[in-house]
Amino acid sequence: MASELTELEEAIGTLVKNYDKYATRGFFSRKRGISKDSFQKMVSQELHHALMHTEDKQAIDDLRQTYDKNQDGLIRFHEYWTLMGSIAMSHLSTMEEPEKDDS
Amino acid sequence: MASELTELEEAIGTLVKNYDKYATRGFFSRKRGISKDSFQKMVSQELHHALMHTEDKQAIDDLRQTYDKNQDGLIRFHEYWTLMGSIAMSHLSTMEEPEKDDS
């Protein structure tokens, strides 16, 4: 994408770069995804406000397994994007709560 | 989300705020989504680097219909998130191309 990107395009790029940072190529295969250890690191370092229990290794692993749809031990990009979507959806719902009536 | 967010959390917030900016509540219903006109505005103003033909109203409407899975005329959040994921995926694939051998 060109340099003078819009704020939205920059943000999409940030989500992609984050995936790229934590997703490694399997040793013997072209398969690419976020491994169990990298997922632990990502959640505790990058999502410790958006998610709870980010110091609880078991909770993080449970989360990983929830999104590892094909259970191959790797979080592929589409699985990563689904996780990001769930976080975004909960953020949206906090924005949608009707303003409290202060009167 | 708390104020000192990580870069990733800020970026997720930006995608959510963008949806919130363009998604309006239906006049008679709580239904919420991005209308045909707002989708035109969003694509031409926010995605004119990431997408092509963003000055072509018909092309934008074709794109909108592709992602309006239930064909209710509104782009709901999950449909919006799928579109963002497709843009992200194409951005990722440009990052994954093997470096050109300059020798």
Side-chain angles (χ1 to χ4, degrees), chain A residues 36-61:
Chain A
K36 184 172 173 176
D37 292 343
S38 299
F39 189 84
Q40 290 276 346
K41 245 181 253 155
M42 181 183 80
V43 169
S44 58
Q45 287 173 10
E46 314 288 353
L47 292 167
H48 51 278
H49 303 105
L51 294 175
M52 299 194 298
H53 314 304
T54 55
E55 292 316 313
D56 177 341
K57 283 196 184 286
Q58 185 55 53
I60 295 177
D61 205 53

Side-chain angles (χ1 to χ4, degrees), chain A residues 4-67:
Chain A
E4 63 313 309
L5 300 179
T6 65
E7 200 185 350
L8 178 62
E9 290 166 334
E10 291 273 5
I12 294 170
T14 299
L15 270 72
V16 172
K17 278 180 217 124
N18 184 73
Y19 175 80
D20 193 48
K21 176 177 163 185
Y22 288 97
T24 46
R25 219 165 281 284
F27 197 68
F28 289 109
S29 78
R30 270 192 41 71
K31 270 202 323 181
R32 186 130 190 253
I34 301 175
S35 68
K36 184 172 173 176
D37 292 343
S38 299
F39 189 84
Q40 290 276 346
K41 245 181 253 155
M42 181 183 80
V43 169
S44 58
Q45 287 173 10
E46 314 288 353
L47 292 167
H48 51 278
H49 303 105
L51 294 175
M52 299 194 298
H53 314 304
T54 55
E55 292 316 313
D56 177 341
K57 283 196 184 286
Q58 185 55 53
I60 295 177
D61 205 53
D62 293 344
L63 179 71
R64 184 185 61 78
Q65 293 190 46
T66 306
Y67 286 91

Side-chain angles (χ1 to χ4, degrees), chain B residues 65-78:
Chain B
Q65 292 189 47
T66 305
Y67 286 90
D68 181 9
K69 287 292 173 223
N70 61 356
Q71 295 296 313
D72 67 351
L74 288 173
I75 294 292
R76 306 304 197 78
F77 186 75
H78 63 282

Side-chain angles (χ1 to χ4, degrees), chain B residues 70-97:
Chain B
N70 61 356
Q71 295 296 313
D72 67 351
L74 288 173
I75 294 292
R76 306 304 197 78
F77 186 75
H78 63 282
E79 296 165 332
Y80 166 81
W81 197 258
T82 304
L83 168 60
M84 296 297 117
S86 309
I87 295 169
M89 181 72 100
S90 62
H91 181 39
L92 179 67
S93 55
T94 61
M95 291 169 72
E96 290 194 325
E97 267 143 27

Side-chain angles (χ1 to χ4, degrees), chain B residues 40 53-61:
Chain B
Q40 292 275 346
H53 314 304
T54 55
E55 293 316 313
D56 177 341
K57 282 195 183 289
Q58 186 53 54
I60 295 177
D61 205 54

Side-chain angles (χ1 to χ4, degrees), chain A residues 1 4 6 8-9 11 15-16 18 20 32 45-50 77 81 84-85 88-89 91 95-96, chain B residues 1 4 6 8-9 11 15-16 18 20 32 46-50 77 81 84-85 88-89 91 95-96:
Chain A
M1 292 200 234
E4 63 313 309
T6 65
L8 178 62
E9 290 166 334
L15 270 72
V16 172
N18 184 73
D20 193 48
R32 186 130 190 253
Q45 287 173 10
E46 314 288 353
L47 292 167
H48 51 278
H49 303 105
F77 185 74
W81 198 259
M84 295 298 116
M89 181 72 99
H91 182 38
M95 291 168 73
E96 289 194 326
Chain B
M1 291 200 234
E4 64 310 311
T6 65
L8 177 63
E9 289 165 335
L15 270 72
V16 172
N18 183 74
D20 193 46
R32 185 130 192 251
E46 314 287 352
L47 294 167
H48 51 278
H49 304 105
F77 186 75
W81 197 258
M84 296 297 117
M89 181 72 100
H91 181 39
M95 291 169 72
E96 290 194 325

